[in-house]
Amino acid sequence: MEILLYILGAFVAYLILLRFISHERKLKKRFNKPKTKYSDLTDSDDVHISGRTKLIASLNTPILGSKCCYFKTTVFEVNRYGEDDIIKKDSDWSELKSEVGSSNFILEVNLQPVLILTASSEALVKTNIDTHSEQLLNTSEFENYWLNIKAMLERHGVRVCNVYDKFGKRVKESFVGNDEPLSVVGKGSWRPVTDFPEIQNIIESEQIYVVRGSEKKPLVFTNSNSLLWG
């Protein structure tokens, strides 16, 4: 019976992985279309633009404490040790808890502002920190991270018993900060600046180009060409 449950669990995990790969491939394909210059922006169901980020109301990442307009932080715990108690494979870890946050931001396209609405969005963002490193584990820098990791886990009701728990935990944190190069694909349209009180004091023009997503077709952004084409 235990073997049957193990096989069933492995099969379900395989199906979830296939679905994730298929979904990610669809997101990447949306970047295949040519980029649009600011001067050529018109109402479009799927516009592709690139520029540099400018934060409006910034968030702070849970572990690094970096200011950003998007972050994803995931804590993993070890589920299997290899030979000599060495953790070598990503499959030796399972996800424990995750936090994702985003806020609207400005993307400067050809030095002109475009408002990006992140309510219905997905991100393909490079990893800024991965704590699974022997060089990092034994440093004072990691001790500072560990305090934030504990705080995050406690927010989710996960109790950390003692300091040795840190050797069985791994954190990956990705984020998009200020003045970062970014590519965005989404539905674009020209809108009155007065529709968006949060930018009225920073945008001088009466109209602004706005890019957004929907549940059926989310806005997608990336800060890494290697994630798209690597």
Side-chain angles (χ1 to χ4, degrees), residues 86-197:
I86 296 176
I87 308 165
K88 294 182 178 180
K89 302 175 183 178
D90 282 344
S91 58
D92 294 336
W93 299 92
S94 58
E95 183 175 320
L96 180 59
K97 294 295 177 181
S98 184
E99 288 186 2
V100 179
S102 66
S103 62
N104 300 339
F105 60 94
I106 295 292
L107 189 71
E108 285 197 346
V109 180
N110 304 126
L111 301 179
Q112 298 299 320
V114 173
L115 178 61
I116 309 298
L117 303 182
T118 63
S120 297
S121 64
E122 297 198 39
L124 299 168
V125 177
K126 62 186 178 184
T127 300
N128 292 82
I129 184 173
D130 183 346
T131 62
H132 182 47
S133 165
E134 290 297 328
Q135 290 78 18
L136 182 61
L137 276 175
N138 297 313
T139 64
S140 58
E141 185 179 13
F142 182 79
E143 293 300 325
N144 293 331
Y145 296 155
W146 178 241
L147 294 176
N148 292 334
I149 294 168
K150 283 179 62 179
M152 175 179 163
L153 290 175
E154 288 169 0
R155 284 198 299 273
H156 291 274
V158 178
R159 189 173 181 182
V160 180
C161 298
N162 56 58
V163 71
Y164 296 105
D165 279 353
K166 71 182 181 182
F167 295 106
K169 299 291 187 294
R170 176 183 185 178
V171 176
K172 289 185 178 182
E173 186 163 83
S174 306
F175 67 89
V176 177
N178 191 49
D179 200 32
E180 275 198 42
L182 200 73
S183 292
V184 177
V185 178
K187 183 175 182 179
S189 61
W190 287 96
R191 298 283 300 278
V193 171
T194 52
D195 286 355
F196 309 97

Side-chain angles (χ1 to χ4, degrees), residues 27 30-36 41 46-53 69 105-109 114-118 120-122 176 180-188 209-213 218-225 228:
L27 295 181
R30 293 179 60 191
F31 288 92
N32 287 340
K33 64 183 302 176
K35 295 178 184 178
T36 303
L41 290 175
D46 214 29
V47 65
H48 180 191
I49 57 175
S50 63
R52 301 193 76 89
T53 58
C69 55
F105 60 94
I106 295 292
L107 189 71
E108 285 197 346
V109 180
V114 173
L115 178 61
I116 309 298
L117 303 182
T118 63
S120 297
S121 64
E122 297 198 39
V176 177
E180 275 198 42
L182 200 73
S183 292
V184 177
V185 178
K187 183 175 182 179
Y209 196 75
V210 179
V211 184
R212 68 177 73 218
L219 176 145
V220 189
F221 56 87
T222 184
N223 62 358
S224 174
N225 285 331
L228 294 179

